[in-house]
Amino acid sequence: MVTLFDSIQLGAIKASNRIIMAPLTRGRATKDHIPTSLMIEYYRQRASAGLIISEGTGISQEGLGWAYAPGIWNKQQVEAWKPVTQAVHDEGGHIICQLWHMGRTVHPSFYPSPISASATTAPRYAHTYEGKKPYEKARALPKEEIPRLINDYIKAANHAMEAGFDGVQIHAANGYLIDEFLRDNCNFRTDEYGGSIENRIRLLIEITHNVCKTVGSDRTSVRLSPNEEIQGVHDSNPEPLFIAASKALSKENINFLEVREPRPGEDNFVMSTLTDQDFHPPIAPAMRKNFNGNFVINGSYNGHSAQKIIKNNEADAVSFGRPFISNPDLVHKIKNDIPLKPSDSKTWFSQGKEGYTDYPVAK
């Protein structure tokens, strides 16, 4: 029987176990989105994960609207990432860079003219350097600018490899730009990037295809979030949409597909703001059947429920997010059935080492 602690070949990456560290925004870069020395130790501490997926990393200034989040669009950022990736490699680990464009959730205080699939406005508030501010209407990305956008992904993927990452992940989930193109409640386009399912997945596939050509399909993965409304983004009929996306991504031979589906929590790591109305029938099983490749699931799992997922062949690996915040030795704790330490939400996005690199490991 396959277990969480068996190795797995994820394209060009041989992961020593099937416990993946999910992307976690932590806000420890500089105001200019340059990784800091504090991040070196943070990622080093978590290198026992079979694979680390980095925090969302901006592909361009246009695409990044989160205070103190890192980017990878310029030379200074690339150089600052190098000691981070080296630290993970020195511990025998692997790390890939999540390529992030936040679409309409980029507040104009970060970039003057945010883009989206259509001219829409995200709900609630943006976290800016000046505090919370309401989002403003994004402009619909003109068709003639799409090659420029794709080129931003290509440049960021090249920069990630230059920085020493073992690969990249295209962030196509959580209500950000690519997800805004996928869903019919915020994509009202009448060109070949809107309307039918085939059209709405077009941008995702074009970006994936070009990134695969750039760094290799065996070093390219994708993250999707099929069944939750997040940041105001949802779809009226998500199952056929995400089955179609899964089939199309199979043809690109990516090294794995990661799917985030929130579930009623079996532990303390589910967002406190989620209610029963946020949980819908899972779409991941249908995606699994229609995706020919490594399938990674994410959704508030603990060690026991994750092992059940692997045992039942519902996924090839499981990614853990918030448990890794306060348990840098998560793999050791799961393997030895050691209780997990909860994290302090007040320090998730603060700029210091408190709640970042000071969580103790089990003896």
Side-chain angles (χ1 to χ4, degrees):
M1 183 185 74
V2 176
T3 76
L4 281 171
F5 308 102
D6 290 326
S7 64
I8 181 172
Q9 194 73 39
L10 300 171
I13 303 166
K14 185 171 184 179
S16 60
N17 59 67
R18 295 166 188 245
I19 296 173
I20 309 300
M21 180 171 160
L24 289 159
T25 298
R26 300 304 311 278
R28 261 66 174 194
T30 71
K31 197 171 182 178
D32 294 324
H33 309 295
I34 299 167
T36 60
S37 58
L38 195 60
M39 294 166 61
I40 300 171
E41 183 60 22
Y42 171 77
Y43 282 106
R44 183 199 301 275
Q45 290 175 352
R46 290 153 180 80
S48 60
L51 175 67
I52 294 173
I53 306 171
S54 82
E55 62 205 278
T57 302
I59 64 167
S60 62
Q61 184 66 73
E62 173 196 73
L64 189 53
W66 191 285
Y68 301 106
I72 198 156
W73 65 81
N74 65 39
K75 186 70 174 178
Q76 198 172 1
Q77 293 162 345
V78 170
E79 291 302 313
W81 271 116
K82 286 181 178 179
V84 177
T85 60
Q86 187 61 54
V88 173
H89 294 154
D90 287 346
E91 296 297 324
H94 301 281
I95 181 170
I96 63 175
C97 182
Q98 190 187 60
L99 305 180
W100 195 21
H101 193 301
M102 294 175 61
R104 69 181 187 176
T105 65
V106 174
H107 190 269
S109 63
F110 289 95
Y111 188 82
S113 184
I115 63 170
S116 186
S118 299
T120 60
T121 306
R124 296 183 288 277
Y125 297 91
H127 295 273
T128 76
Y129 291 116
E130 295 80 35
K132 288 186 177 181
K133 293 185 177 183
Y135 289 109
E136 297 184 18
K137 182 178 285 189
R139 68 184 180 94
L141 182 66
K143 177 183 169 183
E144 56 268 23
E145 287 189 41
I146 287 178
R148 185 268 303 167
L149 172 69
I150 293 173
N151 194 51
D152 285 343
Y153 276 93
I154 291 171
K155 288 192 294 185
N158 272 322
H159 284 167
M161 302 309 292
E162 184 183 343
F165 285 98
D166 297 293
V168 299
Q169 181 181 76
I170 297 165
H171 193 348
N174 295 12
Y176 297 119
L177 181 65
I178 298 174
D179 208 15
E180 293 160 17
F181 271 80
L182 291 174
R183 315 286 190 126
D184 63 9
N185 88 313
C186 56
N187 182 342
F188 308 116
R189 301 175 73 96
T190 57
D191 61 12
E192 59 263 49
Y193 292 91
S196 68
I197 286 176
E198 180 184 11
N199 284 357
R200 283 183 280 128
I201 68 172
R202 189 182 305 277
L203 181 66
L204 166 65
I205 302 308
E206 288 182 352
I207 290 170
T208 303
H209 181 75
N210 280 279
V211 170
C212 285
K213 281 172 52 179
T214 301
V215 303
S217 58
D218 58 349
R219 296 189 182 276
T220 302
S221 65
V222 172
R223 179 179 241 226
L224 295 171
S225 54
N227 79 341
E228 60 178 320
E229 178 177 346
I230 186 164
Q231 301 189 119
V233 173
H234 63 87
D235 195 83
S236 62
N237 193 13
E239 186 160 335
L241 168 64
F242 285 96
I243 286 175
S246 301
K247 288 179 177 179
L249 289 169
S250 290
K251 296 177 182 177
E252 299 299 328
N253 296 312
I254 59 175
N255 63 352
F256 67 91
L257 173 61
E258 185 196 15
V259 173
R260 168 179 161 74
E261 281 200 321
R263 310 170 306 120
E266 296 179 10
D267 52 36
N268 294 322
F269 298 102
V270 181
M271 282 185 181
S272 60
T273 56
L274 294 179
T275 68
D276 289 343
Q277 293 180 342
D278 293 299
F279 299 103
H280 308 288
I283 297 172
M287 296 173 70
R288 166 77 156 162
K289 290 178 183 177
N290 287 279
F291 180 73
N292 182 27
N294 291 307
F295 194 82
V296 178
I297 194 73
N298 172 271
S300 305
Y301 291 94
N302 58 34
H304 297 291
S305 57
Q307 182 55 60
K308 185 177 179 181
I309 287 287
I310 299 298
K311 178 182 177 181
N312 293 341
N313 196 33
E314 296 173 49
D316 300 293
V318 178
S319 68
F320 294 79
R322 294 183 183 181
F324 262 115
I325 292 176
S326 48
N327 300 274
D329 55 344
L330 182 65
V331 175
H332 171 74
K333 285 181 175 175
I334 290 177
K335 191 170 188 177
N336 294 280
D337 205 21
I338 298 171
L340 304 185
K341 182 178 178 63
S343 62
D344 179 2
S345 61
K346 294 190 296 293
T347 64
W348 285 349
F349 310 120
S350 58
Q351 278 72 68
K353 68 178 183 179
E354 183 183 3
Y356 190 63
T357 57
D358 61 350
Y359 283 108
V361 299
K363 302 297 183 183

